[in-house]
Amino acid sequence: MCGIVGIVGHSPVAPLILDALKRLEYRGYDSAGVATIEHGQLSRRRAEGKLVNLERRLKEEPLDGMIGIGHTRWATHGVPNETNAHPHFSDGVAIVHNGIIENFAELRDELTADGYVFTSQTDTEVVAHLVARELARGATPVEAAHNTLKRLEGAFALAIMFKGDEDMIVGARNGPPLAVGHGESEMFLGSDAIALAPFTNSITYLEDGDWAVVRRNSIAIYDMDGNKVHRKRQQSVGTSFLVDKGNHRHFMEKEIHEQPEVISHTLAHYLDFAGGKAKAFEMPFDFASIDRLSIAACGTAYLAGLISKYWFERYARLPVDIDIASEFRYREMPLSKSSGAMFVSQSGETADTLASLRYCRSGGLKIGSIVNVRESTIARESDAIFPTLAGPEIGVASTKAFTCQLSVLASLAVRAARERGAISADDERTLVRQLSEAPRYASQVLKLDQQIEKVARELAQVRHVLYLGRDTSYPLAMEGALKLKEISYIHAEGYAAGELKHGPIALIDESMPVIVIAPHDRVFEKTVSNMQEVAARGGRIILVTDQKGAKHATVKTMETIVLPDVPELIAPIVYALPIQMLAYFTAVFMGTDVDQPRNLAKSVTVE
Ligand code: F6R
């Protein structure tokens, strides 16, 4: 989603803003811009496409000025071109915006009737004109900003700068996150702490409905009624991480390779390996007394939740309702106080997941959330958070956050199983030992890169791919398909292997690779039958299995990727890696922008 940066500094800010925008690139964007106040005038440079284009523009025509705002835009209203790129100007007002102004059409009509001329197709421009109209009516800049905010509906984060004031940026937040960074006689605004990392790690997060007057030596935060509010200043955790690619070609490759380590950190946080137990820490609800667990999330995080349904139901005998958050939030599910609610989100800012959380909270449910960004809104609005210790995930396609989410969910399932009396102490010891082996197996799988790269070379030639799996391999099949389509743009579908004959089998022919994820588990024989059905119709099978599975699969395959034999519980964590690697290498062969695939955003803060 869009990224926002603002600096009230004491040296020329344009290069600093560009640097901060580079750190926000991972969020996904299609144009960018910077505005400063130089020699008393608002000036801007904007460019379609990647930040190198903006950098070139700034080289050709540098911007001076000690105060400025910058933006990476992920298009919602209007195509990604220079005219629609932010900052937007109106009579001495400059604005950058993330989110959607839902009542923009009504406001645009009102402003047009008042003589304001729109130069872009964006919803943002209404905000610039509204502020300018307030100024024209005699309001001070701060009043103009506040009066405008009261007119806006929707989810937005904003930074506003005024021609006559070189010591003030107004920031506002209603939905998408916005953080204030505290410096020495300089202040910063940013969409997240990663953007502000080179400048400061002393951060104040605005809450929903807050707006802030940010000056070099002061910050004042208000609510929508104009009352001053206090928000605490904190040291950001995320900023201590070094965000670079190391020796890897892409962040995604680096993040795939980090998995043995981050899975290990995450598991160690939740499990007492020596004692053979899941650790007891603060819980928002009591696993022993709830009768259902409701989980909602989006995309890859949803698929992690779906895998955990098998674990909670199998090991803890706890029924799980799992929903795609964008559906959950509107389907008016009756809530029962005897349920627990759990949300899964890497960014902790996904609009639909956050809305689902708030729906459960309004029904009086206690909330637990699994998040990677600890300072995120979802984290802050939960009764308890279960952090994934994946470190910043920069590649748009989620990899290490997914396996860390699985690590947390598996650990919680073991704990729930103990607390519900569904397993013995011996069983618990066995499950904890099995989980402790996941990082080692993950390292072994990384060594299969040459074989997986060879398969990917073939995949890069086709237009459609089918993924099949049963049990926990079914969500993994969907995750494989999601990963492939998002970064290689090859159409892919993930299906439950048993569903094949209910429709998708019609697609099978010699040109259709079918990737079957089948560890030698309780449903292996069933999956083999489904593979026979594919083979009988000339389908080309790529089998991802283990040593036992390779021995017992009686079907001719185009390629068999053989993983180590792993315990059933950890199979989804270990099998996630070849699936990610397959998508990664295919995308590299296709020559796509692996870390920032077209049309996608890392943190989806709009509906
Ligand atoms: C896919 C991917 C997305 C996210 C989804 C939810 O690789 O990354 O599907 O999983 O947008 O994002 P978070 O986890 O930040 O809520």
Side-chain angles (χ1 to χ4, degrees), residues 298-301 344-350 353 393 396-398 405 479 482-483 486 601-604:
C298 298
T300 289
V344 189
S345 175
Q346 187 285 127
S347 62
E349 300 294 350
T350 302
T353 310
E393 191 179 63
V396 161
S398 189
Q405 286 160 354
E479 170 62 4
L482 175 60
K483 222 77 311 167
E486 73 180 317
K602 183 70 183 157
S603 164
V604 184

Side-chain angles (χ1 to χ4, degrees), residues 173-180 190-193 203-210 221 230-234 343 345 347-349 354 357-358 361 367-386:
R173 177 202 175 169
N174 191 37
L178 195 63
V180 180
S191 291
D192 64 32
I203 303 283
T204 300
Y205 290 94
L206 299 188
E207 309 255 318
D208 262 357
D210 285 356
I221 306 178
H230 176 72
R231 304 289 174 228
K232 71 173 187 293
R233 188 165 157 173
Q234 44 190 284
F343 299 90
S345 175
S347 62
E349 300 294 350
L354 180 59
L357 179 155
R358 288 176 179 163
R361 177 168 293 298
I367 315 284
S369 58
I370 296 173
V371 290
N372 197 38
V373 181
R374 287 197 205 203
E375 303 97 343
S376 61
T377 313
I378 289 177
R380 279 181 283 129
E381 295 197 14
S382 299
D383 296 298
I385 64 162
F386 305 106

Side-chain angles (χ1 to χ4, degrees), residues 22 24-29 50-51 250-251 394-397 486-487 489 592-600:
K22 284 183 185 162
L24 288 173
E25 273 194 300
Y26 75 97
R27 297 164 70 94
Y29 70 104
K50 295 290 175 194
L51 277 173
H250 299 99
F251 278 109
I394 305 299
V396 161
E486 73 180 317
I487 59 169
Y489 317 146
T592 59
D593 189 347
V594 173
D595 283 333
Q596 289 159 28
R598 67 183 182 205
N599 305 338
L600 288 177

